[in-house]
Short mmCIF file of all heavy atoms in Angstrom, two decimals:
data_model
loop_
_atom_site.label_atom_id
_atom_site.label_comp_id
_atom_site.label_asym_id
_atom_site.label_seq_id
_atom_site.Cartn_x
_atom_site.Cartn_y
_atom_site.Cartn_z
N MET A 1 106.69 191.85 125.62
CA MET A 1 106.60 190.57 124.95
C MET A 1 107.26 189.47 125.79
O MET A 1 106.75 188.37 125.87
CB MET A 1 107.25 190.68 123.58
CG MET A 1 107.01 189.48 122.72
SD MET A 1 105.27 189.39 122.30
CE MET A 1 105.30 188.18 121.06
N ASP A 2 108.39 189.78 126.42
CA ASP A 2 109.06 188.79 127.26
C ASP A 2 108.24 188.45 128.50
O ASP A 2 108.28 187.33 128.98
CB ASP A 2 110.44 189.28 127.68
CG ASP A 2 111.38 189.39 126.49
OD1 ASP A 2 111.22 188.58 125.55
OD2 ASP A 2 112.25 190.27 126.49
N TYR A 3 107.49 189.44 129.01
CA TYR A 3 106.66 189.21 130.19
C TYR A 3 105.56 188.20 129.87
O TYR A 3 105.29 187.30 130.66
CB TYR A 3 106.06 190.54 130.66
CG TYR A 3 105.18 190.40 131.87
CD1 TYR A 3 105.74 190.11 133.11
CD2 TYR A 3 103.80 190.53 131.78
CE1 TYR A 3 104.96 189.97 134.22
CE2 TYR A 3 103.00 190.39 132.89
CZ TYR A 3 103.58 190.12 134.12
OH TYR A 3 102.79 189.99 135.22
N ILE A 4 104.95 188.31 128.70
CA ILE A 4 103.90 187.36 128.30
C ILE A 4 104.49 185.98 128.08
O ILE A 4 103.90 184.97 128.48
CB ILE A 4 103.18 187.87 127.03
CG1 ILE A 4 102.41 189.16 127.35
CG2 ILE A 4 102.25 186.81 126.47
CD1 ILE A 4 101.82 189.83 126.14
N ALA A 5 105.66 185.90 127.50
CA ALA A 5 106.30 184.60 127.30
C ALA A 5 106.66 183.95 128.63
O ALA A 5 106.53 182.74 128.79
CB ALA A 5 107.55 184.76 126.44
N ALA A 6 107.08 184.76 129.60
CA ALA A 6 107.42 184.22 130.91
C ALA A 6 106.18 183.69 131.62
O ALA A 6 106.23 182.65 132.28
CB ALA A 6 108.10 185.29 131.75
N ILE A 7 105.06 184.37 131.49
CA ILE A 7 103.82 183.90 132.10
C ILE A 7 103.39 182.60 131.45
O ILE A 7 102.99 181.66 132.12
CB ILE A 7 102.72 184.97 131.99
CG1 ILE A 7 103.05 186.16 132.88
CG2 ILE A 7 101.37 184.40 132.38
CD1 ILE A 7 102.09 187.31 132.73
N GLN A 8 103.47 182.50 130.17
CA GLN A 8 103.06 181.29 129.49
C GLN A 8 103.95 180.10 129.86
O GLN A 8 103.47 179.00 130.05
CB GLN A 8 103.05 181.51 127.98
CG GLN A 8 101.97 182.45 127.54
CD GLN A 8 102.04 182.76 126.06
OE1 GLN A 8 103.01 182.42 125.41
NE2 GLN A 8 101.02 183.42 125.56
N ILE A 9 105.24 180.33 129.98
CA ILE A 9 106.15 179.26 130.37
C ILE A 9 105.84 178.81 131.80
O ILE A 9 105.81 177.61 132.09
CB ILE A 9 107.62 179.70 130.22
CG1 ILE A 9 107.96 179.85 128.73
CG2 ILE A 9 108.56 178.72 130.89
CD1 ILE A 9 109.31 180.44 128.47
N ALA A 10 105.57 179.77 132.69
CA ALA A 10 105.24 179.42 134.07
C ALA A 10 103.94 178.63 134.13
O ALA A 10 103.82 177.68 134.91
CB ALA A 10 105.13 180.68 134.91
N GLU A 11 102.97 179.01 133.32
CA GLU A 11 101.70 178.28 133.30
C GLU A 11 101.89 176.86 132.76
O GLU A 11 101.29 175.92 133.27
CB GLU A 11 100.68 179.03 132.46
CG GLU A 11 100.19 180.30 133.10
CD GLU A 11 99.30 181.11 132.19
OE1 GLU A 11 99.15 180.75 131.00
OE2 GLU A 11 98.74 182.11 132.66
N ILE A 12 102.72 176.71 131.76
CA ILE A 12 102.97 175.39 131.18
C ILE A 12 103.68 174.49 132.21
O ILE A 12 103.32 173.34 132.39
CB ILE A 12 103.79 175.51 129.89
CG1 ILE A 12 102.93 176.14 128.79
CG2 ILE A 12 104.32 174.16 129.44
CD1 ILE A 12 103.69 176.51 127.55
N ILE A 13 104.67 175.05 132.90
CA ILE A 13 105.39 174.27 133.90
C ILE A 13 104.48 173.88 135.05
O ILE A 13 104.50 172.74 135.51
CB ILE A 13 106.62 175.06 134.40
CG1 ILE A 13 107.66 175.15 133.28
CG2 ILE A 13 107.22 174.41 135.65
CD1 ILE A 13 108.82 176.05 133.59
N SER A 14 103.63 174.80 135.52
CA SER A 14 102.73 174.47 136.62
C SER A 14 101.68 173.45 136.18
O SER A 14 101.30 172.57 136.96
CB SER A 14 102.05 175.72 137.16
OG SER A 14 101.20 176.30 136.20
N THR A 15 101.22 173.53 134.93
CA THR A 15 100.27 172.55 134.42
C THR A 15 100.89 171.16 134.38
O THR A 15 100.27 170.18 134.80
CB THR A 15 99.79 172.95 133.02
OG1 THR A 15 99.17 174.23 133.09
CG2 THR A 15 98.81 171.93 132.47
N ILE A 16 102.12 171.06 133.92
CA ILE A 16 102.82 169.77 133.88
C ILE A 16 103.03 169.24 135.30
O ILE A 16 102.79 168.06 135.57
CB ILE A 16 104.16 169.90 133.13
CG1 ILE A 16 103.90 170.16 131.64
CG2 ILE A 16 105.02 168.66 133.32
CD1 ILE A 16 105.13 170.54 130.86
N PHE A 17 103.43 170.11 136.21
CA PHE A 17 103.66 169.69 137.60
C PHE A 17 102.38 169.17 138.24
O PHE A 17 102.36 168.09 138.85
CB PHE A 17 104.22 170.85 138.42
CG PHE A 17 104.29 170.55 139.89
CD1 PHE A 17 105.28 169.71 140.38
CD2 PHE A 17 103.37 171.10 140.77
CE1 PHE A 17 105.34 169.41 141.73
CE2 PHE A 17 103.43 170.81 142.12
CZ PHE A 17 104.42 169.96 142.60
N TYR A 18 101.27 169.91 138.10
CA TYR A 18 100.03 169.49 138.73
C TYR A 18 99.42 168.27 138.04
O TYR A 18 98.74 167.48 138.69
CB TYR A 18 99.03 170.64 138.77
CG TYR A 18 99.40 171.67 139.81
CD1 TYR A 18 99.62 173.00 139.46
CD2 TYR A 18 99.56 171.31 141.14
CE1 TYR A 18 99.97 173.93 140.41
CE2 TYR A 18 99.92 172.23 142.09
CZ TYR A 18 100.12 173.55 141.73
OH TYR A 18 100.48 174.46 142.68
N THR A 19 99.69 168.10 136.77
CA THR A 19 99.24 166.89 136.09
C THR A 19 99.97 165.67 136.64
O THR A 19 99.34 164.64 136.94
CB THR A 19 99.49 167.00 134.57
OG1 THR A 19 98.76 168.11 134.06
CG2 THR A 19 99.07 165.73 133.85
N ILE A 20 101.28 165.77 136.78
CA ILE A 20 102.06 164.67 137.35
C ILE A 20 101.64 164.41 138.79
O ILE A 20 101.49 163.25 139.21
CB ILE A 20 103.57 164.97 137.25
CG1 ILE A 20 104.00 164.96 135.78
CG2 ILE A 20 104.39 163.98 138.06
CD1 ILE A 20 105.40 165.46 135.54
N LEU A 21 101.39 165.46 139.55
CA LEU A 21 100.95 165.31 140.93
C LEU A 21 99.59 164.60 141.01
O LEU A 21 99.41 163.65 141.78
CB LEU A 21 100.85 166.68 141.61
CG LEU A 21 100.35 166.68 143.05
CD1 LEU A 21 101.34 165.96 143.96
CD2 LEU A 21 100.10 168.09 143.51
N GLY A 22 98.64 165.01 140.18
CA GLY A 22 97.32 164.40 140.18
C GLY A 22 97.35 162.94 139.76
O GLY A 22 96.71 162.09 140.38
N VAL A 23 98.11 162.64 138.73
CA VAL A 23 98.21 161.25 138.25
C VAL A 23 98.89 160.38 139.30
O VAL A 23 98.46 159.24 139.55
CB VAL A 23 98.94 161.20 136.90
CG1 VAL A 23 99.30 159.78 136.52
CG2 VAL A 23 98.09 161.84 135.82
N SER A 24 99.92 160.89 139.94
CA SER A 24 100.60 160.09 140.96
C SER A 24 99.70 159.87 142.18
O SER A 24 99.72 158.78 142.78
CB SER A 24 101.92 160.74 141.37
OG SER A 24 101.69 161.99 141.97
N LEU A 25 98.90 160.85 142.55
CA LEU A 25 97.95 160.66 143.64
C LEU A 25 96.88 159.64 143.27
O LEU A 25 96.49 158.80 144.10
CB LEU A 25 97.31 161.99 144.04
CG LEU A 25 98.19 162.95 144.82
CD1 LEU A 25 97.50 164.29 145.00
CD2 LEU A 25 98.58 162.37 146.15
N MET A 26 96.40 159.67 142.04
CA MET A 26 95.42 158.69 141.60
C MET A 26 96.04 157.28 141.59
O MET A 26 95.38 156.31 141.95
CB MET A 26 94.87 159.04 140.22
CG MET A 26 93.97 160.25 140.21
SD MET A 26 92.49 160.03 141.19
CE MET A 26 91.66 158.80 140.26
N TRP A 27 97.28 157.17 141.19
CA TRP A 27 97.97 155.88 141.22
C TRP A 27 98.09 155.38 142.65
O TRP A 27 97.89 154.19 142.93
CB TRP A 27 99.35 156.01 140.57
CG TRP A 27 100.13 154.74 140.60
CD1 TRP A 27 100.00 153.69 139.75
CD2 TRP A 27 101.15 154.39 141.53
NE1 TRP A 27 100.90 152.71 140.09
CE2 TRP A 27 101.60 153.10 141.18
CE3 TRP A 27 101.72 155.04 142.62
CZ2 TRP A 27 102.61 152.47 141.89
CZ3 TRP A 27 102.71 154.39 143.33
CH2 TRP A 27 103.15 153.13 142.96
N GLY A 28 98.40 156.29 143.56
CA GLY A 28 98.49 155.92 144.97
C GLY A 28 97.15 155.45 145.52
O GLY A 28 97.09 154.47 146.28
N VAL A 29 96.07 156.12 145.13
CA VAL A 29 94.74 155.68 145.56
C VAL A 29 94.43 154.30 145.01
O VAL A 29 93.87 153.45 145.71
CB VAL A 29 93.67 156.71 145.11
CG1 VAL A 29 92.27 156.17 145.27
CG2 VAL A 29 93.82 158.00 145.90
N TRP A 30 94.79 154.04 143.76
CA TRP A 30 94.56 152.72 143.18
C TRP A 30 95.32 151.65 143.95
O TRP A 30 94.79 150.57 144.22
CB TRP A 30 94.96 152.70 141.71
CG TRP A 30 94.93 151.33 141.14
CD1 TRP A 30 96.00 150.55 140.83
CD2 TRP A 30 93.78 150.55 140.86
NE1 TRP A 30 95.58 149.34 140.36
CE2 TRP A 30 94.21 149.31 140.37
CE3 TRP A 30 92.42 150.78 140.97
CZ2 TRP A 30 93.34 148.31 139.99
CZ3 TRP A 30 91.55 149.78 140.59
CH2 TRP A 30 92.00 148.57 140.11
N LYS A 31 96.57 151.93 144.31
CA LYS A 31 97.36 150.96 145.06
C LYS A 31 96.76 150.70 146.45
O LYS A 31 96.76 149.57 146.92
CB LYS A 31 98.82 151.42 145.19
CG LYS A 31 99.58 151.31 143.90
CD LYS A 31 99.62 149.86 143.47
CE LYS A 31 100.35 149.67 142.18
NZ LYS A 31 100.30 148.30 141.70
N VAL A 32 96.24 151.74 147.10
CA VAL A 32 95.61 151.57 148.41
C VAL A 32 94.34 150.73 148.27
O VAL A 32 94.09 149.83 149.09
CB VAL A 32 95.30 152.95 149.05
CG1 VAL A 32 94.39 152.80 150.26
CG2 VAL A 32 96.59 153.65 149.43
N ILE A 33 93.54 151.00 147.25
CA ILE A 33 92.33 150.20 147.02
C ILE A 33 92.70 148.75 146.76
O ILE A 33 92.09 147.83 147.32
CB ILE A 33 91.52 150.77 145.84
CG1 ILE A 33 90.90 152.10 146.21
CG2 ILE A 33 90.42 149.80 145.41
CD1 ILE A 33 90.29 152.84 145.03
N ASP A 34 93.69 148.52 145.93
CA ASP A 34 94.11 147.16 145.60
C ASP A 34 94.67 146.46 146.84
O ASP A 34 94.45 145.26 147.03
CB ASP A 34 95.14 147.20 144.48
CG ASP A 34 95.33 145.86 143.81
OD1 ASP A 34 94.36 145.08 143.76
OD2 ASP A 34 96.44 145.60 143.33
N TRP A 35 95.36 147.19 147.70
CA TRP A 35 95.93 146.62 148.91
C TRP A 35 94.85 146.30 149.94
O TRP A 35 94.95 145.29 150.66
CB TRP A 35 96.95 147.60 149.48
CG TRP A 35 97.52 147.20 150.80
CD1 TRP A 35 98.38 146.17 151.04
CD2 TRP A 35 97.28 147.82 152.05
NE1 TRP A 35 98.69 146.13 152.37
CE2 TRP A 35 98.03 147.13 153.02
CE3 TRP A 35 96.52 148.92 152.45
CZ2 TRP A 35 98.02 147.49 154.35
CZ3 TRP A 35 96.52 149.27 153.78
CH2 TRP A 35 97.26 148.56 154.71
N MET A 36 93.80 147.12 150.03
CA MET A 36 92.78 146.94 151.05
C MET A 36 91.77 145.84 150.72
O MET A 36 91.16 145.28 151.63
CB MET A 36 92.03 148.26 151.29
CG MET A 36 92.87 149.30 151.98
SD MET A 36 91.98 150.84 152.25
CE MET A 36 90.75 150.32 153.41
N THR A 37 91.57 145.54 149.46
CA THR A 37 90.58 144.53 149.11
C THR A 37 91.17 143.13 149.26
O THR A 37 92.34 142.91 148.93
CB THR A 37 90.09 144.73 147.66
OG1 THR A 37 91.21 144.74 146.78
CG2 THR A 37 89.31 146.01 147.51
N PRO A 38 90.37 142.18 149.75
CA PRO A 38 90.88 140.81 149.93
C PRO A 38 90.94 140.01 148.63
O PRO A 38 91.37 138.86 148.64
CB PRO A 38 89.88 140.20 150.90
CG PRO A 38 88.62 140.94 150.67
CD PRO A 38 89.03 142.33 150.29
N PHE A 39 90.53 140.61 147.53
CA PHE A 39 90.54 139.93 146.23
C PHE A 39 91.20 140.84 145.21
O PHE A 39 91.41 142.02 145.46
CB PHE A 39 89.11 139.58 145.78
CG PHE A 39 88.17 140.75 145.81
CD1 PHE A 39 88.08 141.61 144.74
CD2 PHE A 39 87.40 141.00 146.93
CE1 PHE A 39 87.22 142.70 144.76
CE2 PHE A 39 86.53 142.09 146.97
CZ PHE A 39 86.46 142.95 145.88
N SER A 40 91.53 140.29 144.06
CA SER A 40 92.14 141.08 143.00
C SER A 40 91.06 141.87 142.26
O SER A 40 90.16 141.29 141.65
CB SER A 40 92.88 140.17 142.01
OG SER A 40 93.34 140.92 140.92
N VAL A 41 91.13 143.18 142.35
CA VAL A 41 90.13 144.03 141.71
C VAL A 41 90.19 143.89 140.20
O VAL A 41 89.16 143.80 139.52
CB VAL A 41 90.34 145.50 142.14
CG1 VAL A 41 89.38 146.42 141.42
CG2 VAL A 41 90.18 145.65 143.64
N VAL A 42 91.39 143.82 139.65
CA VAL A 42 91.56 143.70 138.21
C VAL A 42 90.97 142.37 137.72
O VAL A 42 90.27 142.33 136.70
CB VAL A 42 93.05 143.82 137.82
CG1 VAL A 42 93.25 143.57 136.34
CG2 VAL A 42 93.59 145.18 138.20
N HIS A 43 91.21 141.32 138.45
CA HIS A 43 90.67 140.00 138.07
C HIS A 43 89.14 140.01 138.13
O HIS A 43 88.48 139.47 137.24
CB HIS A 43 91.23 138.92 138.99
CG HIS A 43 90.75 137.55 138.64
ND1 HIS A 43 89.64 136.98 139.22
CD2 HIS A 43 91.21 136.64 137.74
CE1 HIS A 43 89.45 135.79 138.71
NE2 HIS A 43 90.39 135.56 137.80
N GLU A 44 88.59 140.63 139.16
CA GLU A 44 87.12 140.70 139.29
C GLU A 44 86.50 141.47 138.13
O GLU A 44 85.46 141.09 137.62
CB GLU A 44 86.73 141.37 140.61
CG GLU A 44 86.80 140.47 141.80
CD GLU A 44 85.68 139.45 141.81
OE1 GLU A 44 84.54 139.78 141.48
OE2 GLU A 44 85.98 138.30 142.18
N ILE A 45 87.13 142.56 137.73
CA ILE A 45 86.55 143.40 136.67
C ILE A 45 86.78 142.77 135.30
O ILE A 45 85.85 142.69 134.49
CB ILE A 45 87.13 144.82 136.73
CG1 ILE A 45 86.66 145.52 138.01
CG2 ILE A 45 86.72 145.64 135.51
CD1 ILE A 45 87.30 146.86 138.25
N GLU A 46 87.99 142.31 135.03
CA GLU A 46 88.31 141.81 133.69
C GLU A 46 87.84 140.38 133.45
O GLU A 46 87.19 140.10 132.45
CB GLU A 46 89.82 141.89 133.44
CG GLU A 46 90.32 143.30 133.28
CD GLU A 46 91.81 143.36 133.02
OE1 GLU A 46 92.47 142.29 133.04
OE2 GLU A 46 92.31 144.45 132.81
N LYS A 47 88.18 139.49 134.35
CA LYS A 47 87.87 138.07 134.12
C LYS A 47 86.44 137.71 134.48
O LYS A 47 85.75 137.03 133.74
CB LYS A 47 88.84 137.18 134.92
CG LYS A 47 90.28 137.43 134.61
CD LYS A 47 90.67 136.90 133.25
CE LYS A 47 92.17 136.99 133.12
NZ LYS A 47 92.62 137.66 131.97
N ASP A 48 85.98 138.16 135.66
CA ASP A 48 84.64 137.80 136.13
C ASP A 48 83.56 138.76 135.64
O ASP A 48 82.38 138.55 135.92
CB ASP A 48 84.62 137.74 137.65
CG ASP A 48 85.54 136.65 138.19
OD1 ASP A 48 85.84 135.71 137.43
OD2 ASP A 48 85.93 136.75 139.37
N GLN A 49 83.95 139.82 134.93
CA GLN A 49 83.01 140.80 134.36
C GLN A 49 82.07 141.39 135.42
O GLN A 49 80.87 141.49 135.24
CB GLN A 49 82.18 140.16 133.24
CG GLN A 49 83.00 139.62 132.08
CD GLN A 49 83.66 140.73 131.30
OE1 GLN A 49 83.02 141.72 130.97
NE2 GLN A 49 84.93 140.57 131.01
N ASN A 50 82.65 141.80 136.54
CA ASN A 50 81.88 142.38 137.63
C ASN A 50 81.63 143.85 137.32
O ASN A 50 82.44 144.72 137.61
CB ASN A 50 82.64 142.21 138.95
CG ASN A 50 81.80 142.52 140.15
OD1 ASN A 50 80.78 143.19 140.04
ND2 ASN A 50 82.23 142.03 141.30
N VAL A 51 80.48 144.12 136.74
CA VAL A 51 80.14 145.48 136.30
C VAL A 51 79.92 146.40 137.50
O VAL A 51 80.31 147.57 137.47
CB VAL A 51 78.89 145.46 135.39
CG1 VAL A 51 78.51 146.86 134.96
CG2 VAL A 51 79.16 144.60 134.17
N ALA A 52 79.32 145.89 138.55
CA ALA A 52 79.06 146.71 139.73
C ALA A 52 80.36 147.21 140.35
O ALA A 52 80.47 148.38 140.73
CB ALA A 52 78.26 145.92 140.75
N LEU A 53 81.35 146.35 140.43
CA LEU A 53 82.65 146.76 140.97
C LEU A 53 83.32 147.77 140.05
O LEU A 53 83.92 148.74 140.53
CB LEU A 53 83.54 145.54 141.17
CG LEU A 53 84.92 145.82 141.77
CD1 LEU A 53 84.79 146.41 143.16
CD2 LEU A 53 85.76 144.56 141.79
N ALA A 54 83.20 147.58 138.75
CA ALA A 54 83.80 148.52 137.80
C ALA A 54 83.17 149.90 137.93
O ALA A 54 83.88 150.92 137.92
CB ALA A 54 83.63 148.00 136.38
N ILE A 55 81.85 149.95 138.09
CA ILE A 55 81.17 151.24 138.27
C ILE A 55 81.58 151.88 139.58
O ILE A 55 81.84 153.09 139.65
CB ILE A 55 79.64 151.05 138.18
CG1 ILE A 55 79.25 150.68 136.76
CG2 ILE A 55 78.91 152.30 138.63
CD1 ILE A 55 77.80 150.27 136.61
N LEU A 56 81.67 151.08 140.64
CA LEU A 56 82.07 151.60 141.95
C LEU A 56 83.47 152.18 141.91
O LEU A 56 83.72 153.29 142.41
CB LEU A 56 81.98 150.49 143.00
CG LEU A 56 82.35 150.89 144.41
CD1 LEU A 56 81.29 151.83 144.98
CD2 LEU A 56 82.49 149.67 145.28
N ILE A 57 84.40 151.46 141.31
CA ILE A 57 85.79 151.95 141.22
C ILE A 57 85.85 153.21 140.35
O ILE A 57 86.56 154.17 140.66
CB ILE A 57 86.72 150.85 140.67
CG1 ILE A 57 86.78 149.67 141.63
CG2 ILE A 57 88.11 151.38 140.38
CD1 ILE A 57 87.42 149.96 142.96
N GLY A 58 85.10 153.22 139.25
CA GLY A 58 85.07 154.40 138.38
C GLY A 58 84.54 155.62 139.10
O GLY A 58 85.11 156.72 139.00
N LEU A 59 83.46 155.46 139.86
CA LEU A 59 82.91 156.58 140.61
C LEU A 59 83.84 157.03 141.73
O LEU A 59 83.93 158.22 142.04
CB LEU A 59 81.54 156.21 141.17
CG LEU A 59 80.44 156.06 140.13
CD1 LEU A 59 79.15 155.59 140.79
CD2 LEU A 59 80.20 157.36 139.40
N LEU A 60 84.56 156.08 142.32
CA LEU A 60 85.53 156.43 143.34
C LEU A 60 86.66 157.28 142.75
O LEU A 60 87.08 158.27 143.36
CB LEU A 60 86.10 155.16 143.98
CG LEU A 60 87.05 155.37 145.13
CD1 LEU A 60 86.31 155.97 146.32
CD2 LEU A 60 87.69 154.07 145.52
N PHE A 61 87.11 156.91 141.55
CA PHE A 61 88.14 157.72 140.89
C PHE A 61 87.64 159.11 140.54
O PHE A 61 88.37 160.09 140.65
CB PHE A 61 88.67 157.02 139.64
CG PHE A 61 89.72 155.99 139.93
CD1 PHE A 61 89.64 154.73 139.38
CD2 PHE A 61 90.80 156.29 140.73
CE1 PHE A 61 90.61 153.78 139.64
CE2 PHE A 61 91.77 155.34 141.00
CZ PHE A 61 91.67 154.09 140.45
N VAL A 62 86.39 159.22 140.13
CA VAL A 62 85.82 160.54 139.83
C VAL A 62 85.78 161.38 141.10
O VAL A 62 86.15 162.57 141.10
CB VAL A 62 84.42 160.40 139.20
CG1 VAL A 62 83.72 161.73 139.14
CG2 VAL A 62 84.52 159.80 137.81
N ALA A 63 85.35 160.78 142.21
CA ALA A 63 85.28 161.51 143.47
C ALA A 63 86.66 161.96 143.95
O ALA A 63 86.85 163.12 144.35
CB ALA A 63 84.62 160.65 144.53
N VAL A 64 87.63 161.07 143.87
CA VAL A 64 88.99 161.42 144.29
C VAL A 64 89.58 162.48 143.37
O VAL A 64 90.27 163.40 143.82
CB VAL A 64 89.88 160.16 144.36
CG1 VAL A 64 91.34 160.52 144.58
CG2 VAL A 64 89.40 159.24 145.46
N SER A 65 89.27 162.41 142.08
CA SER A 65 89.75 163.43 141.13
C SER A 65 89.18 164.80 141.46
O SER A 65 89.90 165.81 141.39
CB SER A 65 89.37 163.05 139.72
OG SER A 65 89.96 161.84 139.35
N ILE A 66 87.92 164.85 141.83
CA ILE A 66 87.31 166.13 142.21
C ILE A 66 87.96 166.68 143.47
O ILE A 66 88.25 167.88 143.56
CB ILE A 66 85.79 165.96 142.39
CG1 ILE A 66 85.13 165.71 141.05
CG2 ILE A 66 85.18 167.19 143.06
CD1 ILE A 66 83.67 165.30 141.12
N ILE A 67 88.24 165.81 144.43
CA ILE A 67 88.90 166.26 145.66
C ILE A 67 90.31 166.75 145.37
O ILE A 67 90.72 167.81 145.86
CB ILE A 67 88.91 165.11 146.70
CG1 ILE A 67 87.50 164.82 147.17
CG2 ILE A 67 89.82 165.45 147.88
CD1 ILE A 67 87.36 163.56 147.98
N ILE A 68 91.06 166.04 144.56
CA ILE A 68 92.42 166.45 144.22
C ILE A 68 92.39 167.79 143.47
O ILE A 68 93.20 168.68 143.75
CB ILE A 68 93.14 165.37 143.38
CG1 ILE A 68 93.42 164.14 144.25
CG2 ILE A 68 94.43 165.89 142.78
CD1 ILE A 68 93.92 162.96 143.48
N ALA A 69 91.46 167.96 142.54
CA ALA A 69 91.36 169.22 141.80
C ALA A 69 91.02 170.37 142.74
O ALA A 69 91.57 171.48 142.60
CB ALA A 69 90.31 169.10 140.71
N ALA A 70 90.13 170.13 143.70
CA ALA A 70 89.76 171.20 144.63
C ALA A 70 90.94 171.58 145.51
O ALA A 70 91.15 172.77 145.80
CB ALA A 70 88.59 170.74 145.49
N VAL A 71 91.73 170.60 145.93
CA VAL A 71 92.90 170.90 146.76
C VAL A 71 93.95 171.65 145.96
O VAL A 71 94.54 172.62 146.44
CB VAL A 71 93.48 169.59 147.35
CG1 VAL A 71 94.84 169.83 147.97
CG2 VAL A 71 92.51 169.00 148.36
N ILE A 72 94.16 171.25 144.72
CA ILE A 72 95.16 171.91 143.90
C ILE A 72 94.75 173.35 143.58
O ILE A 72 95.57 174.27 143.58
CB ILE A 72 95.42 171.11 142.60
CG1 ILE A 72 96.19 169.83 142.94
CG2 ILE A 72 96.19 171.93 141.58
CD1 ILE A 72 96.36 168.89 141.77
N LEU A 73 93.47 173.58 143.35
CA LEU A 73 93.00 174.92 143.00
C LEU A 73 92.90 175.85 144.21
O LEU A 73 92.84 177.06 144.05
CB LEU A 73 91.63 174.84 142.33
CG LEU A 73 91.64 174.24 140.93
CD1 LEU A 73 90.23 174.13 140.39
CD2 LEU A 73 92.49 175.10 139.99
N SER A 74 92.90 175.30 145.42
CA SER A 74 92.77 176.18 146.60
C SER A 74 94.09 176.75 147.05
O SER A 74 95.11 176.47 146.59
CB SER A 74 92.13 175.41 147.74
OG SER A 74 92.98 174.38 148.19
#
């Protein structure tokens, strides 16, 4: 019984660690995108209603999330 509890605790801790790691990497990618663009991405999406930019940024986050998940699982 203690062996099963130890495995579950280890899985919970690793899940929390990899969640924090993935979110921090996504935050870092957002900061790099914001730094590289000559305009404010948030202003373009929210104020100017630039749907194309919103879709592009969303797809970029999906792609980076897939890459991060593949690296974490390997």
Side-chain angles (χ1 to χ4, degrees):
M1 190 67 168
D2 293 329
Y3 180 71
I4 294 172
I7 290 174
Q8 291 175 350
I9 290 173
E11 289 174 353
I12 290 171
I13 291 172
S14 66
T15 300
I16 292 170
F17 172 75
Y18 286 122
T19 300
I20 293 170
L21 178 66
V23 169
S24 64
L25 286 173
M26 289 297 293
W27 178 81
V29 168
W30 172 253
K31 287 299 179 185
V32 168
I33 290 170
D34 197 31
W35 175 70
M36 290 180 66
T37 55
F39 52 86
S40 174
V41 176
V42 175
H43 182 267
E44 280 288 320
I45 293 173
E46 289 181 356
K47 303 288 189 233
D48 296 338
Q49 300 292 313
N50 192 341
V51 178
L53 182 62
I55 292 171
L56 181 69
I57 296 294
L59 291 175
L60 184 67
F61 277 131
V62 169
V64 171
S65 298
I66 291 171
I67 292 169
I68 291 171
V71 168
I72 288 173
L73 290 176
S74 66

